């Protein structure tokens, strides 16, 4: 199976822009997922193809570097490709270019292939022996865990809404960094924009549950531990680096 990079063009809609007119992080994460799903379908590894074999792709990590977010009504292109095959899954990279062709965002993501019924990871090459990659990395992310919070001074609760749930029946990956950023002081958010984002997903959050975001901020960096309030289990961790607008 010959694998080539996949490219799709987008335009920032008004509802996808924040109060400064730039693409929201939530919207960015959603369009990254969108183009990844489309490319996977063309390779016979998408949602529909996998479900026929009782399989599903589950995101475990994202690493994103933002030089500049596109603005409302601006067009941009996302190029994506499978960049690395692992025993239990794969790495997919993304490069975002503005209208002039300048790279403005780089992202790398790690995915695990699971058996839906058993809720257990399965070996990629065993099920897809012809799986191929484009041997190129946009970020040399090793997806190591972010430093643990040394204090949990800031605690914010969120109720999982019905609209937070995706087709896999749990909270969509794009919602977690939204919760993390929403846990910070509103005045800080008003005057700062994210330039780096690392997130690791550990457990699922389901409709109706309450999640607690513990946050620690030092200068231009914030660390977040997103937990299930009832069980105390950590669902995800997040590290965000900010730049003053």
């Amino acid at each position: 199976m010959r694998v080539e990079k996949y490219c799709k063009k987008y335009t920032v809609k008004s509802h996808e822009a924040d109060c400064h007119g730039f693409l929201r992080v939530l919207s960015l994460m959603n369009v990254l997922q969108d183009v990844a799903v489309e490319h996977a379908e063309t390779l016979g590894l998408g949602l529909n193809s996998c479900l026929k074999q009782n399989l599903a792709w589950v995101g475990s990590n994202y690493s994103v570097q933002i030089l500049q977010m596109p603005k409302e009504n601006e067009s941009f292109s996302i190029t994506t490709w499978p960049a690395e095959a692992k025993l239990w899954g794969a790495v997919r990279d993304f490069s975002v270019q503005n209208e002039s062709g300048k790279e403005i965002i780089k992202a790398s993501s790690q995915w695990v292939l699971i058996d839906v019924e058993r809720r257990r990871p399965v070996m990629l090459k065993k099920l897809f022996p012809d799986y191929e990659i484009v041997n190129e990395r946009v970020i040399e992310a090793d997806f190591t865990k972010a430093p643990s919070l040394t204090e949990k001074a800031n605690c914010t609760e969120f109720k999982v809404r019905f609209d937070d749930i995706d087709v896999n029946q749990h909270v969509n990956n794009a919602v977690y960094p939204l919760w993390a950023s929403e846990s910070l002081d509103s005045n800080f958010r008003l005057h700062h924009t994210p330039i780096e984002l690392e997130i690791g997903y550990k457990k699922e959050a389901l409709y109706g549950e309450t999640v607690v975001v513990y946050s620690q901020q030092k200068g231009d960096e914030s660390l977040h531990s997103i937990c299930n309030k009832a069980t105390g289990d950590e669902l995800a961790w997040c590290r965000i680096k900010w730049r003053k607008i």
Side-chain angles (χ1 to χ4, degrees):
M1 176 179 63
R2 179 179 174 83
V3 177
E4 296 182 349
K5 294 181 179 181
Y6 183 83
C7 185
K8 184 173 182 179
K9 187 175 181 179
Y10 292 86
T11 299
V12 180
K13 308 292 193 302
S14 59
H15 65 273
E16 296 174 318
D18 64 15
C19 63
H20 299 291
F22 291 98
L23 182 70
R24 301 175 191 269
V25 171
L26 175 68
S27 301
L28 171 65
M29 299 298 290
N30 279 327
V31 295
L32 292 180
Q33 291 185 51
D34 178 50
V35 71
V37 167
E38 285 193 13
H39 190 204
E41 288 290 354
T42 67
L43 299 175
L45 302 169
L47 175 66
N48 295 326
S49 302
C50 285
L51 284 179
K52 292 177 182 178
Q53 302 182 60
N54 206 37
L55 302 171
W57 289 100
V58 176
S60 64
N61 297 84
Y62 268 93
S63 180
V64 184
Q65 296 178 3
I66 303 167
L67 178 63
Q68 181 183 355
M69 281 288 203
K71 298 195 71 173
E72 182 180 351
N73 297 322
E74 285 185 352
S75 296
F76 63 97
S77 298
I78 300 180
T79 302
T80 185
W81 63 95
E84 185 179 343
K86 296 195 171 185
L87 181 62
W88 303 106
V91 172
R92 173 173 285 275
D93 281 3
F94 307 84
S95 175
V96 180
Q97 300 88 30
N98 63 14
E99 294 175 319
S100 301
K102 179 183 177 181
E103 186 174 64
I104 56 174
I105 300 170
K106 298 188 290 186
S108 187
S109 60
Q110 183 168 242
W111 299 80
V112 178
L113 190 63
I114 66 167
D115 182 303
V116 174
E117 287 186 358
R118 296 174 59 243
R119 309 303 294 174
R120 291 285 186 269
V122 296
M123 288 189 290
L124 176 66
K125 284 290 188 177
K126 183 176 181 180
L127 291 171
F128 299 107
D130 297 328
Y131 187 88
E132 297 293 338
I133 66 170
V134 175
N135 191 22
E136 180 182 334
R137 297 298 306 276
V138 70
I139 299 176
E140 289 298 332
D142 56 8
F143 303 113
T144 55
K145 191 180 186 305
S148 299
L149 276 67
T150 57
E151 59 183 53
K152 297 181 179 180
N154 186 18
C155 172
T156 309
E157 292 187 7
F158 295 93
K159 189 82 169 182
V160 178
R161 307 170 305 172
F162 186 83
D163 283 344
D164 295 328
I165 306 301
D166 61 19
V167 294
N168 291 320
Q169 306 304 308
H170 55 69
V171 173
N172 185 271
N173 287 351
V175 176
Y176 291 87
L178 171 66
W179 284 336
S181 60
E182 281 292 307
S183 70
L184 298 178
D185 177 75
S186 58
N187 187 59
F188 176 85
R189 288 292 315 283
L190 184 63
H191 296 96
H192 292 79
T193 186
I195 57 173
E196 289 184 15
L197 169 68
E198 288 184 320
I199 186 164
Y201 304 96
K202 300 173 68 175
K203 291 189 176 182
E204 301 169 345
L206 305 175
Y207 173 60
E209 294 179 340
T210 299
V211 299
V212 181
V213 182
Y214 299 102
S215 301
Q216 176 183 331
Q217 187 174 353
K218 292 184 178 180
D220 63 356
E221 183 175 272
S222 60
L223 301 177
H224 310 269
S225 177
I226 302 170
C227 302
N228 182 302
K229 182 180 180 180
T231 65
D233 292 336
E234 187 175 55
L235 306 174
W237 59 263
C238 187
R239 181 186 72 84
I240 308 175
K241 189 172 182 179
W242 303 84
R243 173 179 58 81
K244 193 168 184 177
I245 297 175

